[in-house]
Amino acid sequence: MENFEHCIPTEVYFGKGQISHLAEILNRYGKRVLLTYGGGSIKRMGLYDEIMKILNDNGFAVTELAGIEPNPRIETVEKGAKLCRDNNIDVILAAGGGSTIDCSKAIAVGAFYEGDMWEMVETAKPGRKALPLVDILTLSATGSEFDGGAVISNMKLHKKLGGSYTFPAVSITDPTYTFSVPPFQTAAGSADIMSHIMEGYFARTMDSDLSEAIAEGVLKSVIRNLPVVLKEPDNYDARANLMWDSSIACSGIPEYGKESTGWPCHALEHELSAYYDITHGAGLAILTPRWMTFILKKDPSVTPRFAKFARNVWGLEGEDEAELAQKGIQALYDFFVSVKLPMTLSELNITDEYFPEMAESANRNNRLANSYVPLTKEDAIEIYRMCL
Ligand code: NZQ
Ligand code: ZN
């Protein structure tokens, strides 16, 4: 087992009705609140009215930032940081999915950052001064509610950069707020959860037992609960399982004690989103089985890891590990098909036009060379081609 450090300073209020703690939580930080949200889903489901009633009844002064985009943009970070400064904001309250929370993390740091906001994104690092952030999660996917990272896009430059900003001080994660998530976003979010696990699971270290069990447990939970919520969107227990899966999957916990893996599928996917503004989880669902097929062929020494995936996650059996490895990849592919995720880039109108540029950028600072099975720029292009 490798060394690791555990530090997740976020308090989680999980479950039905936990919004009842909102006023008491915000009062810890002050009365001037910046409420941030996306394109209107919180209004349609009644959460906006619920929040505003609590804020008004408890004497908070509210400034609003609406319209945070999926794949949040640098321009919106600039707008939010200015609102914080102009209104002397004490605390940010983000209500939405990963995009709203990510944008709010960057705003929390941007409120104090002296200098250009894109430069802040390019140089993002932990420990910068930030406003306190409280969030109310409405989509199980990114894990932004339980980590310090955020991903910000600059569409003019075709850049989508992940980095460390600040942990939410408190996350309210009530599964009932995810009842309204449409089937496609539910499936894409679940693919993102699975990817966060698989990025760390496929590692050289085989003896970090608890991490392995947590990773396999999260995958099995998603495989069991996603089909349930697609049939019954308001099934509380199934939504609840997906929500906690989301928080744990990207927290780092399932990788404790393991060698780092470079998260190559995320590096490849962020380029797809940067060029084509696609849904992150959908891009990952397309890329992951192809990446698996590619690395298994490139380096057959990883076969035992794939056989373990087939056995422990998909319940497959067999003596021939090479065959089992292929069957595990096929099971993952078939699962994504069964939940109606697009499985080719062509379905998203993506051609090979920018593959060289995307591969170059995914491999900046030679980072793909440090992944589980080291990849070159040419390998990345080949994986993109396999996805067409
Ligand atoms: O904008 P609104 O109207 O709220 O609608 C959103 C959006 O259209 C909708 N939605 C959210 N909750 C809903 C709902 N619709 C109905 N009912 C609800 N309860 O869903 C759409 C997608 O929302 P978004 O926040 O974009 O999705 P997600 O949570 O998947 O976030 C994606 C972003 O997070 C980044 C991705 O790259 C992408 O930019 N990531 C962040 C990570 C992190 N912070 O750790 C890690 C991830 O790997 C990921 O890269
Ligand atoms: Zn992700």
Side-chain angles (χ1 to χ4, degrees):
M1 238 170 110
E2 305 292 320
N3 293 0
F4 65 90
E5 285 155 31
H6 168 82
C7 175
I8 302 176
T10 305
E11 276 180 59
V12 177
Y13 285 67
F14 181 92
K16 211 179 287 183
Q18 290 284 27
I19 199 171
S20 62
H21 296 283
L22 183 61
E24 130 211 344
I25 291 166
L26 292 174
N27 270 329
R28 297 176 198 165
Y29 308 107
K31 284 289 176 191
R32 291 178 299 259
V33 178
L34 177 71
L35 172 63
T36 60
Y37 53 97
S41 69
I42 67 159
K43 291 196 169 166
R44 289 191 292 280
M45 72 166 113
L47 176 58
Y48 175 83
D49 289 343
E50 204 178 355
I51 293 171
M52 287 310 278
K53 183 167 180 348
I54 293 170
L55 297 182
N56 290 331
D57 288 355
N58 289 278
F60 289 97
V62 186
T63 303
E64 290 187 39
L65 175 68
I68 294 176
E69 316 79 5
N71 300 328
R73 312 284 161 86
I74 185 64
E75 292 81 3
T76 315
V77 176
E78 286 163 356
K79 214 162 121 186
K82 184 168 184 320
L83 282 175
C84 290
R85 288 193 215 108
D86 292 351
N87 296 281
N88 273 323
I89 292 297
D90 298 314
V91 53
I92 301 175
L93 174 59
S99 294
T100 293
I101 302 175
D102 279 9
C103 190
S104 305
K105 288 177 178 173
I107 290 169
V109 174
F112 295 107
Y113 191 79
E114 315 246 342
D116 176 66
M117 285 291 120
W118 186 245
E119 175 204 87
M120 173 188 81
V121 170
E122 287 186 309
T123 58
K125 58 178 179 204
R128 279 184 176 152
K129 188 171 179 192
L131 281 169
L133 169 66
V134 174
D135 69 78
I136 302 175
L137 180 67
T138 66
L139 203 169
S140 305
T142 63
S144 189
E145 69 279 11
F146 201 47
D147 70 26
V151 189
I152 303 298
S153 295
N154 186 327
M155 297 315 274
K156 286 188 204 124
L157 301 178
H158 291 308
K159 290 249 183 299
K160 181 174 179 181
L161 301 183
S164 295
Y165 291 85
T166 185
F167 282 84
V170 181
S171 290
I172 296 175
T173 61
D174 178 340
T176 61
Y177 298 140
T178 64
F179 286 178
S180 57
V181 180
F184 171 70
Q185 287 296 341
T186 300
S190 296
D192 191 22
I193 296 171
M194 293 177 78
S195 174
H196 296 159
I197 291 291
M198 294 185 290
E199 294 274 42
Y201 182 75
F202 287 89
R204 300 280 169 189
T205 314
M206 296 289 266
D207 64 356
S208 191
D209 293 352
L210 182 58
S211 296
E212 296 278 294
I214 291 171
E216 290 165 0
V218 171
L219 290 175
K220 285 193 280 192
S221 169
V222 175
I223 293 162
R224 185 165 55 242
N225 289 295
L226 173 58
V228 176
V229 302
L230 291 176
K231 280 204 204 81
E232 305 164 35
D234 54 359
N235 184 310
Y236 179 82
D237 288 320
R239 288 285 192 190
N241 275 301
L242 290 180
M243 201 164 218
W244 188 227
D245 292 338
S246 155
S247 301
I248 288 297
C250 204
S251 66
I253 292 170
E255 291 168 80
Y256 286 175
K258 297 178 69 165
E259 224 174 72
S260 82
T261 59
W263 284 45
C265 292
H266 272 67
L268 295 169
E269 196 298 308
H270 284 163
E271 298 306 319
L272 293 174
S273 294
Y275 276 78
Y276 295 96
D277 200 16
I278 65 166
T279 299
H280 174 61
L284 290 168
I286 295 169
L287 282 163
T288 305
R290 276 61 179 237
W291 165 77
M292 289 177 164
T293 303
F294 184 89
I295 62 166
L296 186 58
K297 188 162 174 219
K298 182 170 181 182
D299 181 359
S301 78
V302 299
T303 303
R305 163 62 68 186
F306 277 86
K308 184 175 186 196
F309 175 67
R311 286 196 184 99
N312 292 4
V313 176
W314 299 102
L316 300 169
E317 290 172 7
E319 292 302 311
D320 184 338
E321 294 221 319
E323 201 178 295
L324 209 47
Q326 296 291 350
K327 282 188 178 160
I329 300 173
Q330 188 64 42
L332 177 69
Y333 182 92
D334 293 344
F335 178 71
F336 286 150
V337 170
S338 76
V339 296
K340 302 205 166 31
L341 282 165
M343 287 311 287
T344 60
L345 293 180
S346 316
E347 286 167 75
L348 305 178
N349 298 317
I350 296 176
T351 66
D352 61 2
E353 186 179 356
Y354 297 110
F355 285 175
E357 289 90 333
M358 283 163 35
E360 175 86 39
S361 179
N363 195 29
R364 62 182 168 276
N365 306 326
N366 221 9
R367 38 186 198 150
L368 294 176
N370 296 319
S371 51
Y372 172 47
V373 170
L375 300 174
T376 62
K377 180 186 159 190
E378 289 66 36
D379 293 339
I381 294 175
E382 179 56 25
I383 293 169
Y384 285 134
R385 278 195 200 291
M386 291 165 74
C387 296
L388 281 170

